[in-house]
Structures are given as structure tokens and as C-alpha cells.
Amino acid sequence: MNQIKIFAPATVANVSCGFDVLGFALDTIGDEMCIRKSDKKGITITKIEGCNLPLEAKKNVVGAAGYALLDALDSDAGFEIEICKNIKPGSGIGSSAASAAGSVFAINKLLGAPFNKTELVRFAMEGERLACGAAIADNVSAALFGGFTLVRSYNPLDIVSLPTPSELYATVIHPQIEVKTAASRKLLKATVPLKDAIKQWGNVGGLISGLYTEDYDLISRSLHDYIAEPVRAVLIPGFDKVKRESLSAGALGCGISGSGPSIFALSKGLERAQNVANAIQKVYQNIGIDFYVYVSKINTQGVKIIS
Ligand code: ADP
């Protein structure tokens, strides 16, 4: 095998109560990448479509993640990479994570799969370090494993792949505004009142149990965030209204995707997810900010080979 084309999914991190530890992958939105072996040592980005991003490999998360893998093998291999970006950077649905995860997945495959998925997460995290200054694992884990993932620990890195209830659908609205991850992080307090922490870990346990038992009511009761959302919601115009309307349209829960500006809702069944999409679309039409809305099944496979 000398060349593969892959789909690298967009991902929703945090998932309300799972701030910085939970994520899930989307099925209908993601980047495509073409990776082929080359005689020239290292990583060469030959083309980027859809976004204005650095072609220089070391300045692109594709290169940062890919070189982390090649360095671990002390490899002389060479790869040419074409990127077709469908996920806008800074969207809050894992644009950089999709590129980083896609890069390490494809290079690993072309090298005969020397690494397992958790090891690939470690390399992809170097892409996240380049994108936002911190080697976070929640988006890249979901992109590589698919479905819902839990980052139980960083040291040692322990990624837990969780089951996906069969009728679970996501609705995502991406307002065309920029929310800087750094600004969003700054709003967070350094400490959490014990009473909020107790509610938060009760909900994380409830959500994970609900995913295992396909208990949609329990999933719904657990999709609350007492830590990040109350302080971050101010950065997203219309967030409270979007949340109210999506819940009245039948969503199980609704929250900020990553650090925003995207907002996600989870629903039981495609029809309800589409009703939620219609409801939140109306909110944004009235606000007058451009937006994209996506309805997607949860992607249970993660990065996948297209050809
Ligand atoms: P998102 O919130 O959608 O995950 P991030 O804020 O994590 O987006 O990452 C976007 C940052 O990473 C931008 O500064 C962008 O220039 C940089 N970047 C470098 N390479 C890439 C790439 N291949 N895809 C996306 N973003 C990249």
C-alpha cells in the first residue's frame, strides 16, 4: 500500500458535564486527506483546499503530529499529504484535531500499523499543542477511536472507548463568529466549589451509565455542566435561547461544543434531531449571524479509509 485517502471526522469535546474529559465524533462532517509515500524524507504538504493554513509542515498540525510519530520510530520515511478542509479552524468542532488524527492514522497505516490507537492519540496531541498551546486529548481521542471517548488520565495516557446508543443523533450549529480558545479558557475559575464538583461528577457517572445501558432519560438528566458553561455561554450570542429552543424541540440536552462558538444538542432519533436543527436555525436567523447547521449520527468508527 503506497497511498490512502481518508475521512477524519469533526468532533464535539466536553459534552456538557464531561468538561476536558469527554468527546464524540460526528459522521457527516469532516476533512478528507490523501497521503502517499514519497522518496523525500519527512512530511511534505502538497495542497490545502478549503482554508488558508500553513503549507510548511512544521507549522501545520498535520506535520506536528506526523513528525511526532516518525520521530518515535526514528524513521527515514517520507510522505506527501493533500488536505481538503471542510471544518473551519476555530469552529469548536475539532478542526485541528481532525487534521492531526488523520495524519497519524494514515502514516501509521502506510507504515504497517506499528502503533495502537492510544499511541496515535499521544502523537496527535502534538498537533493540538501546536494549535492551542496545550497537548489536549479529548478531540483527537474521539476522532481516532470514534463514538464517545473518555480521557480518564493523561499520565499515563488512558483513553476509554464508550458505547454509542444506536438511536443517538447530534445537531450542531456553527455560528460564523470567532471565539478564541485562549479567551474562553481565561474565563474559567481556577477552583470549583465542592457542591458544583459533586453535581458534575454525578452527571459524568450518569452519562456514562446511560451510554452503556442506552437509557436516553438518564443521558438527558445527566447532560448538565456546572463548571464551564455558566461562565462561557456569554461568548456565544443567543446561547441561552438556542438551548431553550432545542430542549423544547425534544433534545436530550444541549451545550457548548469544545470552547465554542459551536453549540451541540443530542437527540433520540433522526426526526427529533432535525426538529432541533429547525428550531435553533430560527433563533440564529433572528439574531442575524451567519451559521451552518449539521445533523449527524454519531460516528462509531473514527478516522476511516475512503480509498
Ligand atoms: P477548533 O476549535 O476547530 O478545534 P482550534 O482552535 O483547535 O480549532 O485550531 C485551530 C488553530 O490551529 C488555528 O490557529 C489554525 O491556524 C491552526 N492549524 C494549523 N494547522 C491546522 C490544520 N491542518 N487544521 C486546522 N487548524 C490548523
Side-chain angles (χ1 to χ4, degrees):
M1 193 195 277
N2 286 319
Q3 170 172 333
I4 50 172
K5 189 170 177 189
I6 53 137
F7 170 84
T11 46
V12 170
N14 294 341
V15 201
S16 297
C17 52
F19 176 64
D20 264 6
V21 295
L22 285 177
F24 67 80
L26 298 169
D27 214 20
T28 53
I29 164 160
D31 293 346
E32 286 181 10
M33 295 166 67
C34 212
I35 296 95
R36 71 185 77 86
K37 285 186 182 164
S38 151
D39 292 336
K40 189 174 162 219
K41 185 183 166 186
I43 293 167
T44 310
I45 301 174
T46 51
K47 190 162 145 191
I48 303 174
E49 276 175 17
C51 270
N52 191 11
L53 287 166
L55 271 169
E56 192 186 324
K58 292 214 163 140
K59 292 192 176 155
N60 193 302
V61 302
V62 161
Y67 274 116
L69 187 158
L70 293 177
D71 290 348
L73 286 175
D74 208 8
S75 168
D76 283 339
F79 297 92
E80 284 182 357
I81 303 186
E82 278 177 31
I83 314 164
C84 178
K85 290 284 319 167
N86 297 313
I87 318 169
K88 236 175 134 180
S91 55
I93 47 172
S95 176
S96 51
S99 285
S103 170
V104 296
F105 175 93
I107 292 174
N108 189 52
K109 201 83 190 165
L110 291 174
L111 290 175
F115 296 111
N116 66 30
K117 283 193 176 175
T118 301
E119 289 166 322
L120 293 184
V121 168
R122 171 82 71 201
F123 302 132
M125 284 162 62
E126 292 307 315
E128 295 293 64
R129 194 192 301 283
L130 175 70
C132 70
I136 46 170
D138 47 4
N139 287 98
V140 289
S141 300
L144 280 161
F145 281 83
F148 282 79
T149 47
L150 168 76
V151 184
R152 192 203 61 79
S153 143
Y154 275 86
N155 198 8
L157 188 61
D158 188 358
I159 310 299
V160 184
S161 181
L162 303 165
T164 304
S166 55
E167 291 180 80
L168 205 56
Y169 283 80
T171 307
V172 174
I173 182 160
H174 175 200
Q176 300 299 289
I177 54 165
E178 191 185 0
V179 171
K180 290 220 184 306
T181 307
S184 197
R185 286 246 157 219
K186 241 188 215 158
L187 288 177
L188 297 172
K189 299 183 182 85
T191 56
V192 173
L194 186 59
K195 66 175 190 359
D196 290 342
I198 290 168
K199 287 191 273 191
Q200 195 88 353
W201 57 58
N203 281 324
V204 176
L207 177 54
I208 288 175
S209 176
L211 293 174
Y212 271 94
T213 54
E214 303 220 0
D215 183 338
Y216 293 91
D217 287 336
L218 177 57
I219 291 171
S220 180
R221 296 201 299 279
S222 307
L223 282 170
H224 300 288
D225 175 9
Y226 294 94
I227 293 173
E229 185 181 302
V231 289
R232 283 181 161 181
V234 294
L235 295 175
I236 307 171
F239 176 80
D240 292 339
K241 188 129 204 253
V242 165
K243 183 161 179 163
R244 251 192 336 269
E245 292 299 316
S246 65
L247 295 176
S248 22
L252 300 167
C254 172
I256 302 170
S257 176
S259 54
S262 289
I263 303 169
F264 80 96
L266 285 170
S267 302
K268 183 180 180 189
L270 178 60
E271 198 181 328
R272 211 162 281 179
Q274 263 155 354
N275 290 341
V276 171
N278 294 339
I280 61 184
Q281 211 156 301
K282 280 195 195 124
V283 176
Y284 258 83
Q285 273 155 355
N286 287 333
I287 292 176
I289 292 176
D290 288 343
F291 60 87
Y292 292 114
V293 172
Y294 309 100
V295 174
S296 173
K297 214 171 169 22
I298 311 301
N299 165 352
T300 53
Q301 198 185 339
V303 181
K304 54 191 168 198
I305 298 173
I306 308 172
S307 62

